[in-house]
């Protein structure tokens, strides 16, 4: 999705499900009527899949915005913006169950806990 006031430079690569949007109508009331509401992307920028760029920010030339990144502040030229690496949460209240021996089948039946 590319907002109506977004500006995209030359040789920009935009992967799927990218949003160049505004921060919302509730913030637009304080902004002058002709002010930019959407991002401005420089030349030779790569925007990864599912990245979201919000507000009147500027992304400088020769920048890479990684997949899943959320950008809400200006990004200088020749930069990389990356989303945080996913972590595996520690399981809660689970007991270790060894795998059944090879060649056997384990069948689990769940009954409602009324």
């Amino acid at each position: 999705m590319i907002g109506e006031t977004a500006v995209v430079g030359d040789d920009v690569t935009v992967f799927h499900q990218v949003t160049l949007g505004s921060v919302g109508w509730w913030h637009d009331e304080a902004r002058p009527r002709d002010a930019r509401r959407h991002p401005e992307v420089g030349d030779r920028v790569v925007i990864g899949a599912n990245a979201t760029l919000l507000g009147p920010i500027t992304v400088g030339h020769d920048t890479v915005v990684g997949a899943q990144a959320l950008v809400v502040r200006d990004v200088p030229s020749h930069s990389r913006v990356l989303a945080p690496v996913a972590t595996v949460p520690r399981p809660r209240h689970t007991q270790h169950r060894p795998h059944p021996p090879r060649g056997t089948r384990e069948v689990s039946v769940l009954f409602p806990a009324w």
Side-chain angles (χ1 to χ4, degrees):
M1 196 281 299
I2 299 178
E4 65 180 337
T5 63
V7 177
V8 179
D10 293 330
D11 298 321
V12 174
T13 301
V14 179
F15 286 92
H16 61 278
Q17 293 184 337
V18 167
T19 299
L20 303 177
S22 67
V23 291
W25 58 267
W26 51 92
H27 293 288
D28 287 340
E29 292 176 0
R31 196 166 295 146
R33 190 170 192 84
D34 294 334
R36 192 167 48 92
R37 297 179 296 136
H38 299 92
E40 180 178 332
V41 179
D43 297 336
R44 297 170 305 281
V45 173
V46 176
I47 304 175
N50 206 31
T52 303
L53 289 72
L54 297 178
I57 62 172
T58 300
V59 177
H61 304 300
D62 302 303
T63 296
V64 175
V65 178
Q68 298 277 342
L70 172 62
V71 183
V72 294
R73 293 191 176 96
D74 289 343
V75 179
S77 295
H78 307 285
S79 299
R80 290 186 303 162
V81 179
L82 305 175
V85 176
T87 59
V88 177
R90 190 172 174 175
R92 294 184 292 166
H93 308 294
T94 58
Q95 296 176 354
H96 175 69
R97 291 184 55 203
H99 294 288
R102 287 189 171 188
T104 62
R105 283 182 37 184
E106 182 176 316
V107 177
S108 296
V109 179
L110 298 176
F111 292 99
W114 294 332

